[in-house]
Amino acid sequence: NWLVDLGVAVTVYSDAPPPAWVNFTGRHVQILHDHERYPAIREPIIIVYSIFELPGILQMVDTRGRKIYHLCQGVESYHLFDPSETGLNISLPLLDMLHELPVGRLVVSPHLEAYFRERFQQPSLPIFNGIDQRQFTARPQPPAYADHIVVVTSGDPRQALKRIAVVKQAVSQ
């Protein structure tokens, strides 16, 4: 909504209805099938949220005079393997091919910016996630356990990708 608040015309094309958890103020277009949804896109700037959407977009959308960006919020191969066993330098030929497609990159973290620069020699535009301080605020007083270290992490701690074991190890030393 912040883009809409800044005066940007935002349209979301989806196969699903608008989510109930947010009051989206832009335009929402629901078209069930990709072969109908992708050609219906008329906007000059297209931001694709998933690398798996790019082949269809590039095949079915007239790209002349348009800019297409992949909004990368995480490298998909990291979710297929336990990084504590494989490390973060995982190579899957299919995903590498998709990441090499000639589109712009928007990334949400410095490590993703470095990933595309180092692995694919691609520049990225960083758009780091912010924290809505109206939703997430500091406690008004120190908690009863003020003599302990408090660590806040982002994401599901059960996902190996979040490296919670590394955080636990770091704070236990």
Side-chain angles (χ1 to χ4, degrees):
N1 286 337
W2 63 269
L3 285 172
V4 175
D5 293 344
L6 290 171
V8 177
V10 176
T11 303
V12 172
Y13 291 84
S14 176
D15 61 351
W21 53 268
V22 67
N23 182 24
F24 178 58
T25 58
R27 184 172 157 243
H28 184 275
V29 177
Q30 181 180 347
I31 302 174
L32 185 60
H33 300 290
D34 296 352
H35 68 276
E36 296 172 354
R37 184 173 57 257
Y38 296 153
I41 298 171
R42 299 286 177 245
E43 287 70 17
I45 298 174
I46 301 170
I47 300 175
V48 180
Y49 78 96
S50 169
I51 194 74
F52 298 114
E53 298 276 333
L54 275 177
I57 291 283
L58 293 172
Q59 181 183 16
M60 295 181 230
V61 172
D62 180 3
T63 59
R64 290 174 293 186
R66 292 188 166 151
K67 294 206 179 270
I68 299 176
Y69 294 91
H70 166 222
L71 172 60
C72 185
Q73 300 178 70
V75 177
E76 291 81 0
S77 57
Y78 295 168
H79 296 284
L80 302 174
F81 297 95
D82 181 346
S84 64
E85 296 173 5
T86 62
L88 293 177
N89 193 19
I90 301 166
S91 180
L92 294 174
L94 173 63
L95 291 175
D96 287 348
M97 180 189 71
L98 292 173
H99 287 130
E100 290 172 344
L101 290 172
V103 298
R105 302 283 173 203
L106 304 173
V107 296
V108 299
S109 70
H111 85 273
L112 290 171
E113 188 175 17
Y115 176 84
F116 283 102
R117 180 181 58 249
E118 293 165 10
R119 191 171 192 132
F120 302 105
Q121 295 72 52
Q122 293 179 359
S124 299
L125 299 171
I127 303 176
F128 302 140
N129 291 327
I131 295 175
D132 184 345
Q133 293 184 349
R134 294 169 297 182
Q135 298 291 326
F136 302 97
T137 59
R139 294 179 184 199
Q141 67 225 2
Y145 50 87
D147 60 333
H148 292 76
I149 296 173
V150 177
V151 178
V152 178
T153 64
S154 174
D156 183 347
R158 294 168 296 186
Q159 285 188 4
L161 174 63
K162 300 303 178 183
R163 309 290 291 229
I164 298 304
V166 173
V167 173
K168 287 180 179 177
Q169 182 182 10
V171 297
S172 67
Q173 296 177 357

